[in-house]
Amino acid sequence: MTSSDSILPLKLFEAYYRARRNKRNTRNQLKFEIDFEHNLFQLADEIRRRQYQPGPCIAFIVNKPVKREIFAADFRDRVVHHLLHGSINHIVERKLIHDTYSCRVGKGTLYGINRINKFVRSCTGNYQRDAYILKLDVTGYFRNMRHDILWEKVQRILSGRNYDYGGVSRELVDYLLHQVIYTHATENCTIKCSKAEWQGLPKSKSLFYTERGCGLPIGNLTSQLFGNIFLNDFDQFVKHKLRVQYYGRYVDDMVFIHHSRDYLLEVIGKVREELSAIGLEVHPGKIYLQHYTKGVLFLGQFIKPFRKYISQRTKGNFFKMIDEINTLLDTDKRITDDVIGHIQSRMNSFLGILGQADTFDLINKARKRLCAQFYFFFLFNKSFSKVTPNLRNLLWHYTQPCLSIKSLMTC
């Protein structure tokens, strides 16, 4: 047994604790946890003997923020994903450009929004000079990602030095990478929701219609990592060959800012050519080229000079949530702790998003739309950025023999 093989169980235990962090109480996680020590040693033994095979995924549709097909890996495979991420992510981070924002520590959507806002200010000399914004999107990014090209790109990222892979060997990392990359999620998957849910989802966004050797499932930790790797060479091309100083990318959403509109028109053609070499294409219906004063929609916020607004989609989802809260509270039944916790978490989630943009008037409008029962059970803080349960009213509600909230409020 090699030193890498002997340390493997320890690394799987560490990966297990990371994997379960946001998956506590899910059915797959609980099933695995019943005898997690045995399961982890069994998984380590399969990997040592090179007999590990990813299990079947669960396929379902989500409708928010947009209709999307998700393939959720079995919890056992999630442990392997976290093992791989912990082994190579620190290496990948060194090779990526600074302005790739997706799924990176210290970055993310808010960081990306602020960077693009800063780019506009810098390119225009604090809005004193002309500049133009080009935004591009890749058609079916994860669906059209070729496995052989991805494998080659991952190998290139990991080559060149004797890197530390977190105590495991490079050979073991390559084995697991090969198993994950070349697995077809649609094979032997379990469809969780009705097939009618797939209606309205374009074939260009479904893995069930991809050719063999193409496509990665959205939702896996490794897919997020591979999404950064797959376009890393393209990012380097934009920065060092096209010499676009003001450029940022989040997954497949790209923003270019330049003082010349004609130059950005040339960039579109060069981007098309570069992407076609790896089997990708620019979405023809999502090419946006405008003067900076028109603003740009990026990562859920509409960025304009001196201000930022949330997108119409986020605004619509926010008011839809308020209507759902009003419906939940408009009942003659006693409100449970679960309902209170659900409302608080959803409300604070949206308030956190809204707090990053200029939304004071929007929040005031939302406050007027909330029903009286909401103010019986919840309190806003002074900045209206957070709600907390009104414990005194909750306690009174739970101790009253009358179940009707409306009756209690008129007592």
Side-chain angles (χ1 to χ4, degrees), residues 7-35:
I7 203 174
L8 179 59
L10 173 62
K11 292 301 175 182
L12 283 174
F13 270 85
E14 293 174 353
Y16 161 72
Y17 286 114
R18 293 196 300 271
R20 77 173 191 174
R21 193 171 296 160
N22 297 316
K23 291 294 177 182
R24 298 306 299 268
N25 301 325
T26 60
R27 183 176 297 178
N28 278 337
Q29 192 275 328
L30 290 173
K31 183 179 178 181
F32 190 93
E33 189 166 6
I34 290 173
D35 196 4

mmCIF file of all heavy atoms in Angstrom, residues 7-35:
data_model
loop_
_atom_site.group_PDB
_atom_site.id
_atom_site.type_symbol
_atom_site.label_atom_id
_atom_site.label_comp_id
_atom_site.label_asym_id
_atom_site.label_seq_id
_atom_site.Cartn_x
_atom_site.Cartn_y
_atom_site.Cartn_z
ATOM 1 N N ILE A 7 -3.427 7.312 3.233
ATOM 2 C CA ILE A 7 -4.020 8.566 3.707
ATOM 3 C C ILE A 7 -5.405 8.789 3.112
ATOM 4 O O ILE A 7 -6.140 9.687 3.541
ATOM 5 C CB ILE A 7 -3.085 9.756 3.390
ATOM 6 C CG1 ILE A 7 -3.368 10.933 4.338
ATOM 7 C CG2 ILE A 7 -3.245 10.214 1.932
ATOM 8 C CD1 ILE A 7 -2.399 12.074 4.180
ATOM 9 N N LEU A 8 -5.781 7.985 2.122
ATOM 10 C CA LEU A 8 -7.051 8.178 1.424
ATOM 11 C C LEU A 8 -8.266 8.174 2.360
ATOM 12 O O LEU A 8 -9.129 9.049 2.226
ATOM 13 C CB LEU A 8 -7.205 7.122 0.325
ATOM 14 C CG LEU A 8 -8.498 7.185 -0.487
ATOM 15 C CD1 LEU A 8 -8.648 8.533 -1.182
ATOM 16 C CD2 LEU A 8 -8.531 6.044 -1.509
ATOM 17 N N PRO A 9 -8.388 7.204 3.311
ATOM 18 C CA PRO A 9 -9.560 7.238 4.204
ATOM 19 C C PRO A 9 -9.675 8.554 4.978
ATOM 20 O O PRO A 9 -10.776 9.097 5.125
ATOM 21 C CB PRO A 9 -9.324 6.053 5.146
ATOM 22 C CG PRO A 9 -8.470 5.114 4.363
ATOM 23 C CD PRO A 9 -7.572 5.996 3.545
ATOM 24 N N LEU A 10 -8.550 9.082 5.462
ATOM 25 C CA LEU A 10 -8.575 10.348 6.193
ATOM 26 C C LEU A 10 -9.081 11.469 5.294
ATOM 27 O O LEU A 10 -9.910 12.289 5.717
ATOM 28 C CB LEU A 10 -7.173 10.674 6.711
ATOM 29 C CG LEU A 10 -6.997 12.058 7.347
ATOM 30 C CD1 LEU A 10 -7.880 12.203 8.576
ATOM 31 C CD2 LEU A 10 -5.521 12.299 7.698
ATOM 32 N N LYS A 11 -8.607 11.512 4.051
ATOM 33 C CA LYS A 11 -9.032 12.555 3.121
ATOM 34 C C LYS A 11 -10.517 12.417 2.768
ATOM 35 O O LYS A 11 -11.212 13.419 2.576
ATOM 36 C CB LYS A 11 -8.179 12.505 1.852
ATOM 37 C CG LYS A 11 -6.731 12.889 2.081
ATOM 38 C CD LYS A 11 -6.644 14.315 2.641
ATOM 39 C CE LYS A 11 -5.236 14.705 3.000
ATOM 40 N NZ LYS A 11 -5.174 16.073 3.581
ATOM 41 N N LEU A 12 -11.007 11.188 2.699
ATOM 42 C CA LEU A 12 -12.430 10.977 2.434
ATOM 43 C C LEU A 12 -13.283 11.422 3.619
ATOM 44 O O LEU A 12 -14.374 11.962 3.436
ATOM 45 C CB LEU A 12 -12.694 9.507 2.110
ATOM 46 C CG LEU A 12 -12.295 9.044 0.703
ATOM 47 C CD1 LEU A 12 -12.480 7.539 0.566
ATOM 48 C CD2 LEU A 12 -13.122 9.764 -0.357
ATOM 49 N N PHE A 13 -12.784 11.199 4.842
ATOM 50 C CA PHE A 13 -13.509 11.683 6.020
ATOM 51 C C PHE A 13 -13.600 13.210 5.992
ATOM 52 O O PHE A 13 -14.656 13.785 6.284
ATOM 53 C CB PHE A 13 -12.825 11.209 7.301
ATOM 54 C CG PHE A 13 -13.315 9.885 7.804
ATOM 55 C CD1 PHE A 13 -12.788 8.696 7.318
ATOM 56 C CD2 PHE A 13 -14.338 9.815 8.749
ATOM 57 C CE1 PHE A 13 -13.240 7.466 7.770
ATOM 58 C CE2 PHE A 13 -14.799 8.591 9.213
ATOM 59 C CZ PHE A 13 -14.258 7.404 8.719
ATOM 60 N N GLU A 14 -12.496 13.875 5.648
ATOM 61 C CA GLU A 14 -12.519 15.342 5.557
ATOM 62 C C GLU A 14 -13.476 15.802 4.472
ATOM 63 O O GLU A 14 -14.238 16.773 4.663
ATOM 64 C CB GLU A 14 -11.101 15.855 5.265
ATOM 65 C CG GLU A 14 -10.117 15.628 6.410
ATOM 66 C CD GLU A 14 -8.697 16.010 6.032
ATOM 67 O OE1 GLU A 14 -8.464 16.326 4.836
ATOM 68 O OE2 GLU A 14 -7.814 15.987 6.911
ATOM 69 N N ALA A 15 -13.452 15.113 3.331
ATOM 70 C CA ALA A 15 -14.352 15.465 2.231
ATOM 71 C C ALA A 15 -15.803 15.217 2.617
ATOM 72 O O ALA A 15 -16.699 15.984 2.235
ATOM 73 C CB ALA A 15 -13.995 14.652 0.986
ATOM 74 N N TYR A 16 -16.035 14.163 3.400
ATOM 75 C CA TYR A 16 -17.394 13.847 3.848
ATOM 76 C C TYR A 16 -17.968 14.982 4.704
ATOM 77 O O TYR A 16 -19.116 15.402 4.511
ATOM 78 C CB TYR A 16 -17.385 12.542 4.640
ATOM 79 C CG TYR A 16 -18.589 12.335 5.522
ATOM 80 C CD1 TYR A 16 -19.841 12.033 4.981
ATOM 81 C CD2 TYR A 16 -18.494 12.475 6.908
ATOM 82 C CE1 TYR A 16 -20.945 11.856 5.780
ATOM 83 C CE2 TYR A 16 -19.601 12.304 7.715
ATOM 84 C CZ TYR A 16 -20.821 11.992 7.146
ATOM 85 O OH TYR A 16 -21.925 11.832 7.945
ATOM 86 N N TYR A 17 -17.175 15.496 5.624
ATOM 87 C CA TYR A 17 -17.663 16.572 6.494
ATOM 88 C C TYR A 17 -17.923 17.854 5.700
ATOM 89 O O TYR A 17 -18.842 18.606 6.026
ATOM 90 C CB TYR A 17 -16.677 16.818 7.638
ATOM 91 C CG TYR A 17 -16.711 15.729 8.689
ATOM 92 C CD1 TYR A 17 -15.608 14.893 8.900
ATOM 93 C CD2 TYR A 17 -17.859 15.509 9.447
ATOM 94 C CE1 TYR A 17 -15.653 13.881 9.845
ATOM 95 C CE2 TYR A 17 -17.899 14.501 10.393
ATOM 96 C CZ TYR A 17 -16.802 13.679 10.593
ATOM 97 O OH TYR A 17 -16.855 12.668 11.527
ATOM 98 N N ARG A 18 -17.127 18.090 4.654
ATOM 99 C CA ARG A 18 -17.403 19.248 3.801
ATOM 100 C C ARG A 18 -18.661 19.025 2.965
ATOM 101 O O ARG A 18 -19.465 19.943 2.777
ATOM 102 C CB ARG A 18 -16.211 19.532 2.880
ATOM 103 C CG ARG A 18 -14.956 20.010 3.592
ATOM 104 C CD ARG A 18 -13.966 20.628 2.619
ATOM 105 N NE ARG A 18 -13.529 19.681 1.594
ATOM 106 C CZ ARG A 18 -12.486 18.875 1.715
ATOM 107 N NH1 ARG A 18 -11.775 18.863 2.828
ATOM 108 N NH2 ARG A 18 -12.151 18.067 0.724
ATOM 109 N N ALA A 19 -18.836 17.807 2.480
ATOM 110 C CA ALA A 19 -19.975 17.507 1.609
ATOM 111 C C ALA A 19 -21.302 17.602 2.347
ATOM 112 O O ALA A 19 -22.312 18.005 1.773
ATOM 113 C CB ALA A 19 -19.816 16.109 1.004
ATOM 114 N N ARG A 20 -21.309 17.244 3.609
ATOM 115 C CA ARG A 20 -22.570 17.225 4.344
ATOM 116 C C ARG A 20 -22.937 18.597 4.934
ATOM 117 O O ARG A 20 -24.027 18.776 5.473
ATOM 118 C CB ARG A 20 -22.522 16.200 5.473
ATOM 119 C CG ARG A 20 -21.742 16.625 6.698
ATOM 120 C CD ARG A 20 -21.875 15.647 7.838
ATOM 121 N NE ARG A 20 -21.344 16.182 9.080
ATOM 122 C CZ ARG A 20 -21.440 15.574 10.259
ATOM 123 N NH1 ARG A 20 -22.045 14.408 10.346
ATOM 124 N NH2 ARG A 20 -20.947 16.116 11.339
ATOM 125 N N ARG A 21 -22.023 19.560 4.797
ATOM 126 C CA ARG A 21 -22.205 20.863 5.441
ATOM 127 C C ARG A 21 -23.527 21.517 5.048
ATOM 128 O O ARG A 21 -24.237 22.056 5.880
ATOM 129 C CB ARG A 21 -21.022 21.776 5.089
ATOM 130 C CG ARG A 21 -20.937 23.032 5.925
ATOM 131 C CD ARG A 21 -19.637 23.742 5.648
ATOM 132 N NE ARG A 21 -18.488 22.937 6.048
ATOM 133 C CZ ARG A 21 -17.258 23.116 5.585
ATOM 134 N NH1 ARG A 21 -17.015 24.065 4.688
ATOM 135 N NH2 ARG A 21 -16.266 22.351 6.006
ATOM 136 N N ASN A 22 -23.865 21.472 3.761
ATOM 137 C CA ASN A 22 -25.101 22.087 3.286
ATOM 138 C C ASN A 22 -26.125 21.061 2.825
ATOM 139 O O ASN A 22 -27.063 21.397 2.109
ATOM 140 C CB ASN A 22 -24.791 23.059 2.141
ATOM 141 C CG ASN A 22 -23.918 24.216 2.594
ATOM 142 O OD1 ASN A 22 -24.151 24.785 3.649
ATOM 143 N ND2 ASN A 22 -22.904 24.536 1.812
ATOM 144 N N LYS A 23 -25.909 19.801 3.227
ATOM 145 C CA LYS A 23 -26.823 18.741 2.805
ATOM 146 C C LYS A 23 -27.360 17.953 3.996
ATOM 147 O O LYS A 23 -27.811 16.807 3.831
ATOM 148 C CB LYS A 23 -26.087 17.778 1.848
ATOM 149 C CG LYS A 23 -25.749 18.408 0.499
ATOM 150 C CD LYS A 23 -26.995 18.729 -0.288
ATOM 151 C CE LYS A 23 -26.667 19.422 -1.588
ATOM 152 N NZ LYS A 23 -27.885 19.778 -2.341
ATOM 153 N N ARG A 24 -27.322 18.529 5.189
ATOM 154 C CA ARG A 24 -27.826 17.831 6.352
ATOM 155 C C ARG A 24 -29.318 17.597 6.216
ATOM 156 O O ARG A 24 -30.068 18.452 5.737
ATOM 157 C CB ARG A 24 -27.563 18.630 7.640
ATOM 158 C CG ARG A 24 -26.115 18.873 7.949
ATOM 159 C CD ARG A 24 -25.267 17.620 7.996
ATOM 160 N NE ARG A 24 -25.654 16.660 8.995
ATOM 161 C CZ ARG A 24 -25.153 16.607 10.232
ATOM 162 N NH1 ARG A 24 -24.268 17.494 10.600
ATOM 163 N NH2 ARG A 24 -25.540 15.690 11.075
ATOM 164 N N ASN A 25 -29.742 16.430 6.623
ATOM 165 C CA ASN A 25 -31.155 16.043 6.652
ATOM 166 C C ASN A 25 -31.759 15.764 5.277
ATOM 167 O O ASN A 25 -32.972 15.599 5.157
ATOM 168 C CB ASN A 25 -32.012 17.099 7.379
ATOM 169 C CG ASN A 25 -31.557 17.301 8.807
ATOM 170 O OD1 ASN A 25 -31.133 16.355 9.469
ATOM 171 N ND2 ASN A 25 -31.623 18.534 9.285
ATOM 172 N N THR A 26 -30.932 15.723 4.228
ATOM 173 C CA THR A 26 -31.458 15.239 2.952
ATOM 174 C C THR A 26 -31.481 13.713 3.003
ATOM 175 O O THR A 26 -30.722 13.087 3.752
ATOM 176 C CB THR A 26 -30.595 15.701 1.771
ATOM 177 O OG1 THR A 26 -29.260 15.192 1.931
ATOM 178 C CG2 THR A 26 -30.549 17.224 1.705
ATOM 179 N N ARG A 27 -32.350 13.118 2.196
ATOM 180 C CA ARG A 27 -32.532 11.666 2.266
ATOM 181 C C ARG A 27 -31.234 10.917 1.975
ATOM 182 O O ARG A 27 -30.868 9.974 2.684
ATOM 183 C CB ARG A 27 -33.621 11.243 1.282
ATOM 184 C CG ARG A 27 -33.944 9.761 1.327
ATOM 185 C CD ARG A 27 -35.098 9.427 0.405
ATOM 186 N NE ARG A 27 -36.311 10.106 0.817
ATOM 187 C CZ ARG A 27 -37.468 10.014 0.156
ATOM 188 N NH1 ARG A 27 -37.546 9.292 -0.952
ATOM 189 N NH2 ARG A 27 -38.529 10.648 0.596
ATOM 190 N N ASN A 28 -30.516 11.319 0.920
ATOM 191 C CA ASN A 28 -29.273 10.635 0.558
ATOM 192 C C ASN A 28 -28.207 10.784 1.636
ATOM 193 O O ASN A 28 -27.485 9.835 1.949
ATOM 194 C CB ASN A 28 -28.737 11.192 -0.769
ATOM 195 C CG ASN A 28 -29.422 10.577 -1.974
ATOM 196 O OD1 ASN A 28 -29.967 9.482 -1.885
ATOM 197 N ND2 ASN A 28 -29.395 11.279 -3.098
ATOM 198 N N GLN A 29 -28.140 11.983 2.216
ATOM 199 C CA GLN A 29 -27.128 12.211 3.237
ATOM 200 C C GLN A 29 -27.423 11.389 4.485
ATOM 201 O O GLN A 29 -26.529 10.778 5.070
ATOM 202 C CB GLN A 29 -27.056 13.699 3.576
ATOM 203 C CG GLN A 29 -25.852 14.111 4.418
ATOM 204 C CD GLN A 29 -26.086 13.932 5.920
ATOM 205 O OE1 GLN A 29 -27.208 14.068 6.380
ATOM 206 N NE2 GLN A 29 -25.032 13.625 6.647
ATOM 207 N N LEU A 30 -28.685 11.350 4.903
ATOM 208 C CA LEU A 30 -29.064 10.587 6.099
ATOM 209 C C LEU A 30 -28.849 9.089 5.892
ATOM 210 O O LEU A 30 -28.401 8.380 6.801
ATOM 211 C CB LEU A 30 -30.525 10.871 6.452
ATOM 212 C CG LEU A 30 -30.813 12.283 6.984
ATOM 213 C CD1 LEU A 30 -32.314 12.496 7.128
ATOM 214 C CD2 LEU A 30 -30.114 12.520 8.306
ATOM 215 N N LYS A 31 -29.163 8.614 4.702
ATOM 216 C CA LYS A 31 -28.949 7.202 4.393
ATOM 217 C C LYS A 31 -27.469 6.852 4.473
ATOM 218 O O LYS A 31 -27.087 5.795 4.996
ATOM 219 C CB LYS A 31 -29.502 6.893 3.005
ATOM 220 C CG LYS A 31 -29.401 5.434 2.603
ATOM 221 C CD LYS A 31 -29.989 5.219 1.215
ATOM 222 C CE LYS A 31 -29.838 3.760 0.786
ATOM 223 N NZ LYS A 31 -30.386 3.561 -0.592
ATOM 224 N N PHE A 32 -26.625 7.746 3.969
ATOM 225 C CA PHE A 32 -25.180 7.518 4.011
ATOM 226 C C PHE A 32 -24.659 7.606 5.446
ATOM 227 O O PHE A 32 -23.778 6.848 5.851
ATOM 228 C CB PHE A 32 -24.481 8.547 3.126
ATOM 229 C CG PHE A 32 -23.018 8.281 2.891
ATOM 230 C CD1 PHE A 32 -22.601 7.571 1.786
ATOM 231 C CD2 PHE A 32 -22.060 8.763 3.775
ATOM 232 C CE1 PHE A 32 -21.257 7.333 1.557
ATOM 233 C CE2 PHE A 32 -20.711 8.531 3.560
ATOM 234 C CZ PHE A 32 -20.302 7.812 2.446
ATOM 235 N N GLU A 33 -25.227 8.526 6.246
ATOM 236 C CA GLU A 33 -24.708 8.800 7.591
ATOM 237 C C GLU A 33 -25.052 7.698 8.588
ATOM 238 O O GLU A 33 -24.393 7.582 9.618
ATOM 239 C CB GLU A 33 -25.243 10.141 8.093
ATOM 240 C CG GLU A 33 -24.586 10.610 9.373
ATOM 241 C CD GLU A 33 -24.871 12.067 9.672
ATOM 242 O OE1 GLU A 33 -25.664 12.689 8.944
ATOM 243 O OE2 GLU A 33 -24.306 12.578 10.649
ATOM 244 N N ILE A 34 -26.064 6.887 8.289
ATOM 245 C CA ILE A 34 -26.442 5.821 9.218
ATOM 246 C C ILE A 34 -25.235 4.951 9.565
ATOM 247 O O ILE A 34 -25.036 4.560 10.713
ATOM 248 C CB ILE A 34 -27.575 4.963 8.609
ATOM 249 C CG1 ILE A 34 -28.873 5.778 8.566
ATOM 250 C CG2 ILE A 34 -27.783 3.675 9.409
ATOM 251 C CD1 ILE A 34 -30.005 5.094 7.836
ATOM 252 N N ASP A 35 -24.416 4.668 8.543
ATOM 253 C CA ASP A 35 -23.197 3.885 8.774
ATOM 254 C C ASP A 35 -22.069 4.517 7.957
ATOM 255 O O ASP A 35 -21.448 3.870 7.118
ATOM 256 C CB ASP A 35 -23.435 2.429 8.359
ATOM 257 C CG ASP A 35 -22.370 1.488 8.921
ATOM 258 O OD1 ASP A 35 -21.509 1.971 9.680
ATOM 259 O OD2 ASP A 35 -22.391 0.288 8.576
#
